Amino acid sequence: MAAQPYLEAHRCLQRAAPELLGQWRRRFPITPRLQAAARKKLEQLLIPPLGAETAGLTSWREQVQYSAARLAKMEVPLSQVNAAFAAFRPLALARLRRDFDAETAAAAQQWLQQQTQLAVAEAFVAAKNNAVQALLAVLDAELSAATLDQLLQVLLQQAARLFPVRWGEILLLEPGGERLHHAASFGLAPEMILDTAGAGAFFQQVLQENQPGFLLDAANDPGVAQPYYRALEVKSVWAVPLQAGAEPLGILSLAFDRVYECLP
């Protein structure tokens, strides 16, 4: 079968997405292990969104690979992904048979599902490999860094390899445990960081609550104090507390030039 029928089959499923996904949700109810964000990504994997009518299979593959990578990083069990496909397959096949003959419908559904599951398998392998490489890099940094500042810089550089980070900082608590100071940075010129400005209420809250915090429009958020957020038009920020046992040490902050939802 040529590529065009596969794309036409996907368009058929996309037009029927509200109906199909509604049926699928009844067959595949949410569970405590499957968060709402993960189920949303599963739905985008089952029927990848293609906005433009001119979008082709290349765009379809990009959407599939993106959703597969997100699910892998969310650590959704592969067994649940496969179960989601099993629940969706008869629904998709029945819908395609309305517009295609039985043989074409079966071939198109099988090809779309096989290509998607292949992308999922590749994404899960890549995620595990990245996690191992990240751990090895951190261990290597701990063994080879001559100073704390050097270690912090290596950790930021490693974070930039794992995510599409534009800028990053490590904020550490000063003696006394009341004020955060800028201990290391990535992608920022030293003069862009004003120590007198402090960190801001957003980072203090992350530290106090000992829970990750996320912003989607940091440049316009009053909870960040550093002027470079506005100067660089920073969008998303991930802030993760650092601690030794129960003792708070500081915050790892990663910043992006686009809206980038945080992963668990």
Side-chain angles (χ1 to χ4, degrees), residues 196-254:
T196 55
F202 165 69
F203 295 103
Q204 293 291 347
Q205 182 179 2
V206 169
L207 194 66
Q208 291 168 6
E209 296 181 355
N210 193 31
Q211 293 291 331
F214 319 112
L215 298 175
L216 297 180
D217 187 15
N220 296 304
D221 195 296
V224 295
Q226 285 294 314
Y228 78 77
Y229 284 94
R230 281 160 278 282
L232 297 174
E233 298 182 356
V234 176
K235 292 296 184 184
S236 296
V237 169
W238 304 354
V240 182
L242 306 174
Q243 61 185 101
E247 180 183 356
L249 299 179
I251 289 175
L252 168 65
S253 173
L254 305 178

Side-chain angles (χ1 to χ4, degrees), residues 6-20:
Y6 297 135
L7 187 58
E8 291 176 359
H10 172 70
R11 291 290 188 191
C12 173
L13 297 178
Q14 191 175 23
R15 288 190 295 270
E19 173 192 353
L20 288 173

Side-chain angles (χ1 to χ4, degrees), residues 9-241:
H10 172 70
R11 291 290 188 191
C12 173
L13 297 178
Q14 191 175 23
R15 288 190 295 270
E19 173 192 353
L20 288 173
L21 293 176
Q23 295 173 352
W24 174 77
R25 291 185 197 109
R26 290 190 289 273
R27 289 187 174 211
F28 196 77
I30 195 166
T31 65
R33 296 192 65 188
L34 189 64
Q35 300 177 356
R39 188 168 73 169
K40 180 180 178 182
K41 280 300 164 194
L42 264 178
E43 292 177 357
Q44 293 176 349
L45 192 65
L46 296 172
I47 307 180
L50 292 181
E53 286 297 324
T54 56
L57 280 179
T58 298
S59 297
W60 177 83
R61 284 194 177 91
E62 289 174 353
Q63 290 290 339
V64 166
Q65 290 166 354
Y66 174 75
S67 295
R70 298 283 286 179
L71 285 169
K73 290 178 181 179
M74 288 177 175
E75 297 185 347
V76 176
L78 193 56
S79 59
Q80 288 214 341
V81 179
N82 291 332
F85 277 109
F88 185 72
R89 183 180 183 279
L91 302 174
L93 192 55
R95 180 61 187 82
L96 290 175
R97 283 175 175 166
R98 298 184 195 176
D99 293 355
F100 302 90
D101 63 75
E103 183 178 353
T104 301
Q109 190 282 326
Q110 183 178 26
W111 187 88
L112 291 170
Q113 181 171 328
Q114 285 179 343
Q115 293 298 307
T116 303
Q117 289 186 293
L118 177 60
V120 169
E122 291 174 345
F124 273 64
V125 170
K128 292 297 183 184
N129 182 61
N130 287 342
V132 171
Q133 292 303 317
L135 176 60
L136 292 176
V138 170
L139 292 175
D140 182 65
E142 289 183 312
L143 293 172
S144 61
T147 66
L148 176 61
D149 287 346
Q150 184 180 357
L151 173 60
L152 296 179
Q153 287 297 147
V154 172
L155 294 179
L156 275 177
Q157 291 167 4
Q158 180 60 27
R161 293 191 187 102
L162 291 175
F163 305 104
V165 175
R166 286 295 306 276
W167 311 283
E169 282 193 86
I170 291 181
L171 310 171
L172 294 183
L173 273 175
E174 292 183 347
E178 295 183 358
R179 188 175 185 275
L180 289 163
H181 75 275
H182 305 270
S185 65
F186 174 84
L188 298 166
E191 61 270 16
M192 299 184 72
I193 300 173
L194 301 181
D195 286 332
T196 55
F202 165 69
F203 295 103
Q204 293 291 347
Q205 182 179 2
V206 169
L207 194 66
Q208 291 168 6
E209 296 181 355
N210 193 31
Q211 293 291 331
F214 319 112
L215 298 175
L216 297 180
D217 187 15
N220 296 304
D221 195 296
V224 295
Q226 285 294 314
Y228 78 77
Y229 284 94
R230 281 160 278 282
L232 297 174
E233 298 182 356
V234 176
K235 292 296 184 184
S236 296
V237 169
W238 304 354
V240 182

